């Protein structure tokens, strides 16, 4: 049985890179050049005609409901028509990803494109051991559009999308110029390409508050910790749980940083003010001690869910729908949550709450954004027979025309140009057959790395006003107020086993520290008496060594970027 | 009786010709066992090297006992071993005899309808997925959960999250495991009980044995071979805890009693594809189990004449 599966896999893998005729595409297939010199066509790729590439990638939720393969996705059909390149998709299920990759590595037979493949041992090993090809030589010669997207901040694609009025409302900021560094290995090789965000997007995570309760208590939206405390007291009067604290296991990172951010620490190894040094882990910072003392007081007052250490998302959710929770933490665009809450009973009114600060003139350093996160990456493998054509095909995703197709769809069908700015047609939203973000995914967005338009996302949400997307965007704008993203260490590649080394150290520390943190908050251990001992234990367990590993890797990254 | 010593070859030949149908039928099972249990065994080599898929199982860098040393170097190693052994031991202590008792009790029930209903209800939880079971436990034992509320009302206790208290974890784990598996595990004993010769009961009655006497002198001896075999097997799998369930139930708050070898390896090894480390710890666990199995079998052979081999 196993043998059979193995044999099948090898056979399929062996087929990659060849001009197979068994393509699953249902589009017209042949090209298109519109007369004249073919090199005038921005999508012309020399020798691309009839070539087929294999593309290994998982499918997103919505897509798997609509397509059996991404080759059926309108974007890829459009691109095939434009370029003449056929793509044969292979979609592993989420659970199979690691296993299939390991099998590919063992057999040394890869698909042409691997998406989101995390090579065991790191990207450099992926190149050295002959899995990924180094894309750097192709960047200059075959990927001019991608290069422009990465490096040229004056690129006209960076500003043309926004009308003046929109700029005033959304204040889009140019993307941090860190993308160029992301996909480089230590030896300065380019192991993958990634999506490029057009503009910085608002925060990705933050608190939600019961606005109706707030109004009944005749209180304003809390801005500072003091105001928040007054609100919590009022919520407690109602007999409800005033606020949930992040579920156990995530006490510090991500959601935890919402309340910690007022204390200028981000829940992990913080980046120093100079942008060069990696500071101590939040676990052992004095700021964190202050945070814990406040949480302890609030816990004693009954302001915090007495069950917080055991709550997971489901239990928090059920407390919320049972009308029993005042403030909780939410992710941007998490489908069921915001929509369900917004479209619920009329009396059930919620609103995003700004991240609480110590004083109103504090600018928070720990915003929860997605900016430094790479969402997808794509590598070309050594099994690919025509890497030049593959590189050029990928590059086409970053042309202006492709960007319009990815973000706005088809001119005349889904959008129109008004004063040089693309606007969605009403017809796109007038039929309610699908929620807006589903339409966006099944009509436009490719599965892999692409040029990502923040404006299109916002427009989508603004147009479908009462849908979750509208609420989500409102929320992320509120969460992004008065907050910068200074504490998060930008994407960092680790050398050899360093990633594992620091991960093991942090796991070891967390095994000790997480229960201690809960005990501090619940008052089972005295912060005043035990804090020093706690910090010392964390240090003994290696939290500083882990920091040094981060520092080493991050310094190296800075060096490469120079 | 006529006895003539046959050579080994002759005996095998005789056996094969007599029982060839049985051997034929066993072939699929043997092939299956060989492919899934013996072929993958060479993979334990990666417990002793730094496994990289590219270099392969045999080609990866040899590190000897490094992963074992890593495990024991952890300050939590002792706590992990203690928790693993205690949780396994308690599960065994209660989980082994109770199904026998349930089966014996059910065997004494004369009302067939009641017996069947009881049996069905008792093994129903076995078919609920562990994830759902864990969800139910979390829900029931929460601050405002059903069981917590019952304790508050009947025993006048302060409400608290029962699952959040490390002192409760072992009891919760063992009790819920029992609830889940009690009925199911009793089925095999019920089957054994059905095979006890009815004539023995009749003659016991003639001899004037009451119900308890019958139980003690007829029923129990009748199922002792089954009990012994299952005892040996469950000793042999003692340290194979249901890590998945612990993962679903524990929290940093209860690491003190709930963090076992399997969950630690999960946090440390699996999440970052550290296959070698995970294999090393798994190998260690299996070895201990194998030793336990052999010892139990040997002991049982000495004392009861029943054994696996």
């Amino acid at each position: 049985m196993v043998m059979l599966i193995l044999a099948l896999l090898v056979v399929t893998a062996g087929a990659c890179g060849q001009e197979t005729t068994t393509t699953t595409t249902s589009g017209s297939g042949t090209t298109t050049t519109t007369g004249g010199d073919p090199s005038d066509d921005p999508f012309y790729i020399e020798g691309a005609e009839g070539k087929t590439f294999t593309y290994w990638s998982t499918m997103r939720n919505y897509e798997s409901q609509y397509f059996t393969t991404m080759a059926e996705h309108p974007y890829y059909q459009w691109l095939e028509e434009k370029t003449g390149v056929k793509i044969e998709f292979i979609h592993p299920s989420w659970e199979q990803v690691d296993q299939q990759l390991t099998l590919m590595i063992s057999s040394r037979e890869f698909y042409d494109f691997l998406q989101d493949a995390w090579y065991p041992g790191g990207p450099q090993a992926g190149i050295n051991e002959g899995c990924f090809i180094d894309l750097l030589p192709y960047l200059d010669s075959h990927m001019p559009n991608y290069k422009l997207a990465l490096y040229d901040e004056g690129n006209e694609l960076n500003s043309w999308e926004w009308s003046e009025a929109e700029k005033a409302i959304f204040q889009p900021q140019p993307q941090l110029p860190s993308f160029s560094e992301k996909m480089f290995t230590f030896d300065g090789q380019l192991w993958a390409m990634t999506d490029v965000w057009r503009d910085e997007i608002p925060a990705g995570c933050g608190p939600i508050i019961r606005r109706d309760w707030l109004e009944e208590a005749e209180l304003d939206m809390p801005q500072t910790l003091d105001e928040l405390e007054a609100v919590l007291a009022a919520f407690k009067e109602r007999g409800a749980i005033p606020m949930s604290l992040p579920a156990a296991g995530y006490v510090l990172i991500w959601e935890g940083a919402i309340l910690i951010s007022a204390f200028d620490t981000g829940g992990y190894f913080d980046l120093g003010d100079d942008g060069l040094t990696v500071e101590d882990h939040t676990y052992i910072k004095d700021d964190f001690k202050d945070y814990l003392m406040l949480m302890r007081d609030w816990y004693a007052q009954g302001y915090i869910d007495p069950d917080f250490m055991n709550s997971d998302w489901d239990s928090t959710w059920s407390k919320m729908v049972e009308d029993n929770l005042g403030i909780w933490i939410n992710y941007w665009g998490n489908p069921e949550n915001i929509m369900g809450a917004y479209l619920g009973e009329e009396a059930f009114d919620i609103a995003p709450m700004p991240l609480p600060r110590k004083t109103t003139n504090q600018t928070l350093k720990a915003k929860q954004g997605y900016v430094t996160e790479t969402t997808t990456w794509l590598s070309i493998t050594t099994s690919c027979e025509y890497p030049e054509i593959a590189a050029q095909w990928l590059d086409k995703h970053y042309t202006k025309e492709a960007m319009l197709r990815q973000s706005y769809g088809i001119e005349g069908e889904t959008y129109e140009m008004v004063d040089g700015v693309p606007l969605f047609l009403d017809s796109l939203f007038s039929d309610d057959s699908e929620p807006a973000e589903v339409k966006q995914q099944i009509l436009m967005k490719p599965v892999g790395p692409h040029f990502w338009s923040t404006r299109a996302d916002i427009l989508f949400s603004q147009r479908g006003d009462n849908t979750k997307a509208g609420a989500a965007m409102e929320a992320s704008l509120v969460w992004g107020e008065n907050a910068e993203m200074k504490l998060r260490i930008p994407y960092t590649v680790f050398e050899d086993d360093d990633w594992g080394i620091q991960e093991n150290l942090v796991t070891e520390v967390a095994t000790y520290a997480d229960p201690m943190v809960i005990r501090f908050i619940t008052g089972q251990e005295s912060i005043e008496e035990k804090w020093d001992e706690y910090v010392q234990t964390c240090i003994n367990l290696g939290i500083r060594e882990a920091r040094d590993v981060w520092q080493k890797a991050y310094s190296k990254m800075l060096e490469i970027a120079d | 009786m006529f006895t003539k010593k046959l050579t080994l070859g002759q005996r095998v030949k005789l056996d094969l010709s007599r029982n060839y149908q049985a051997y034929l039928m066993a072939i699929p099972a043997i092939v299956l066992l060989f492919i899934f249990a013996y072929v993958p065994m060479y993979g334990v080599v990666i417990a002793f090297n730094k496994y990289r898929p590219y270099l392969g199982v045999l080609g990866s860098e040899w590190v000897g006992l490094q992963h074992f040393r890593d495990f024991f170097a952890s300050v939590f190693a002792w706590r992990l071993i203690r928790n693993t052994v205690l949780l396994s031991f308690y599960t065994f202590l209660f989980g082994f005899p109770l199904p026998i008792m349930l089966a014996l009790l059910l065997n004494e029930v004369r009302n067939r309808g009641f017996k069947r209903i009881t049996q069905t209800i008792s093994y129903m939880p076995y078919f609920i997925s562990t994830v759902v079971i864990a969800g139910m436990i979390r829900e029931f034992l929460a601050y405002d959960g059903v069981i917590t509320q019952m304790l508050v009302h009947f025993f006048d206790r302060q409400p608290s999250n029962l699952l959040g208290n490390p002192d409760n974890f072992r009891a919760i784990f063992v009790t819920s495991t029992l609830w889940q598996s009690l009925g199911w595990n009793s089925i095999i004993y019920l089957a054994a009980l059905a095979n006890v010769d009815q004539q023995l009961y009749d003659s016991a009655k003639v001899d004037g044995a009451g119900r308890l006497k019958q139980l003690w002198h007829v029923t129990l001896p009748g199922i002792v071979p089954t009990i012994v075999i299952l005892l040996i097997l469950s000793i042999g799998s003692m340290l194979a805890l249901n890590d998945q369930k612990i993962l679903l139930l524990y929290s940093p708050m209860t690491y003190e009693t709930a963090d076992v070898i399997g969950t630690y390896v999960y946090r440390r090894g699996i999440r970052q594809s550290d296959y070698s480390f995970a294999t090393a710890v798994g190998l260690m666990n299996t070895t201990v189990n194998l030793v336990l199995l052999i010892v139990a079998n040997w002991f049982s052979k000495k004392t009861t004449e029943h054994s696996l081999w």
Side-chain angles (χ1 to χ4, degrees), chain A residues 400-456:
Chain A
K400 184 172 176 179
E401 207 178 344
M403 182 260 173
L404 272 168
R405 182 64 190 77
Q406 294 156 4
S407 310
Y408 296 93
I410 303 159
E411 186 161 13
E413 275 183 42
T414 58
Y415 77 97
E416 59 187 348
M417 297 298 280
V418 179
D419 300 330
V421 177
L423 280 178
F424 288 113
L425 289 169
D426 287 331
S427 57
L428 185 60
F429 299 99
S430 55
D431 84 291
D432 292 334
S433 55
E434 305 293 348
E437 85 285 344
V438 175
K439 283 183 188 162
Q440 197 181 11
Q441 284 211 352
I442 61 173
L443 291 173
M444 303 167 195
K445 277 188 181 171
V447 70
H450 61 286
F451 227 148
W452 202 293
S453 165
T454 315
R455 177 180 177 269

Side-chain angles (χ1 to χ4, degrees), chain A residues 1-3 98 102 105-106 108 119-121 125 128-130 248-249 306-307 309-312 315 318-319 322 324 497 499-501 503-504 507-512 514-515 518-519 522 524 541, chain B residues 35-36 39 50-56 70 73-76 79 138-139 141-144 160-161 163-166 249-256 259 264 267-275:
Chain A
M1 188 64 178
V2 170
M3 307 283 187
D98 282 347
T102 310
I105 297 167
S106 312
R108 322 260 163 113
Y119 197 88
N128 294 349
E129 296 179 354
D307 242 0
M309 68 293 280
N310 278 294
S311 56
D312 50 15
S315 62
S318 69
K319 280 168 202 150
E322 280 163 16
N324 196 24
D497 295 330
W499 170 259
I501 289 169
E503 177 86 352
N504 285 342
T507 309
E508 198 90 340
V509 173
T511 302
Y512 165 75
D514 285 349
I518 296 171
R519 286 164 174 275
T522 54
Q524 284 164 286
L541 288 172
Chain B
I35 292 177
F36 288 107
V39 173
K50 220 167 85 182
Y51 176 64
R52 300 283 310 278
Y54 171 74
L55 299 169
D70 273 2
S74 162
V75 285
F76 301 109
R79 187 175 86 181
R138 291 185 88 98
E139 199 74 11
L141 300 180
Y143 191 79
D144 51 1
S160 70
N161 188 314
L163 203 51
N165 185 343
L249 287 179
Y250 81 162
S251 69
M253 194 67 177
T254 48
Y255 279 174
E256 183 55 38
D259 199 13
Y264 177 78
R267 287 205 307 282
R268 210 192 122 136
I270 308 292
R271 279 203 315 204
Q272 31 165 324
S273 312
D274 195 348
Y275 301 122

